[in-house]
Amino acid sequence: MRKALYPGSFDPITYGHLDVVQRAQKLFPSLTIAVVENPRKEPLFSTAERKALAERSLSEMGINDVPVITYSGLLIECAKRLGVTAVVRGLRAMSDFDYEFQMALTNRDLDSGVESVFLMTAGKYSFLSSSIVKEVKQYGGDARKFVPRCVEQALEEKLGLP
Ligand code: ADP
């Protein structure tokens, strides 16, 4: 069975992430979202909050059979533990490329049995990132087009917005 893992910070999950999930589901009979406990940047939401928001967003969108787990440490160790053969990542602009390229080659070096698979962003989400959504909400903008309702509410609560 082709098992895949979609890792990331998901701080918070956006429609860009969810679009990657829906497309990855067509390629892999088993897909798991893995929320990293210690992302590169200080997260706005705790690990438990990021996991819960991903779960609620999936259910709000009627996406079934995609469990959400959390992990710390090396992604490749998590992948091996779960017996996955592919790690799915999304690619937006060229700015994503350098980091993704470096990570994919490092992971292959650590374990050649786990392949990195890149799904190109949907045109309408090519600009969308968790950081942009946080910025929009921080300045009172409407983020309905970017994130599910439960995420927008969580952002409003977290940022103390009315
Ligand atoms: P990380 O900190 O690991 O990059 P993110 O949550 O920012 O975690 O992103 C997780 C993955 O989802 C990355 O591969 C990223 O490129 C991808 N991604 C994020 N937003 C989008 C989007 N709008 N379209 C396609 N892929 C995306």
Side-chain angles (χ1 to χ4, degrees):
M1 172 134 120
R2 280 173 293 128
K3 277 177 138 185
L5 197 63
Y6 180 25
S9 312
F10 303 104
D11 184 40
I13 196 162
T14 70
Y15 283 139
H17 292 123
L18 291 158
D19 178 65
V20 169
V21 168
Q22 284 176 311
R23 284 187 290 132
Q25 261 195 315
K26 293 184 189 145
L27 299 173
F28 298 98
S30 161
L31 180 70
T32 300
I33 291 181
V35 177
V36 66
E37 279 185 25
N38 299 105
R40 282 173 287 157
K41 281 180 268 174
E42 183 66 30
L44 176 66
F45 292 100
S46 70
T47 312
E49 287 170 333
R50 285 178 284 134
K51 177 178 188 279
L53 285 175
E55 285 168 340
R56 280 160 60 192
S57 299
L58 290 167
S59 111
E60 211 173 283
M61 290 187 69
I63 303 175
N64 300 313
D65 304 323
V66 181
V68 184
I69 60 162
T70 62
Y71 78 99
S72 59
L74 278 180
L75 166 65
I76 212 74
E77 293 302 329
C78 171
K80 276 200 279 194
R81 245 189 341 266
L82 293 173
V84 310
T85 48
V87 165
V88 173
R89 296 281 290 173
L91 269 186
R92 285 160 297 186
M94 285 304 286
S95 49
D96 279 340
F97 185 78
D98 270 351
Y99 177 73
E100 295 295 343
F101 186 69
Q102 207 178 352
M103 282 312 298
L105 293 195
T106 306
N107 284 336
R108 189 188 294 155
D109 215 49
L110 293 171
D111 185 346
S112 59
V114 180
E115 200 63 64
S116 298
V117 175
F118 296 95
L119 296 188
M120 214 55 75
T121 181
K124 60 179 172 178
Y125 299 133
S126 57
F127 64 91
L128 185 53
S129 65
S130 303
S131 316
I132 284 290
V133 173
K134 283 181 275 191
E135 217 164 305
V136 166
K137 284 309 298 178
Q138 201 162 357
Y139 296 108
D142 180 351
R144 265 177 302 180
K145 281 190 190 158
F146 311 140
V147 291
R149 187 71 200 121
C150 61
V151 174
E152 180 155 43
Q153 273 168 353
L155 278 162
E156 284 166 2
E157 276 167 35
K158 183 66 84 176
L159 297 168
L161 298 170

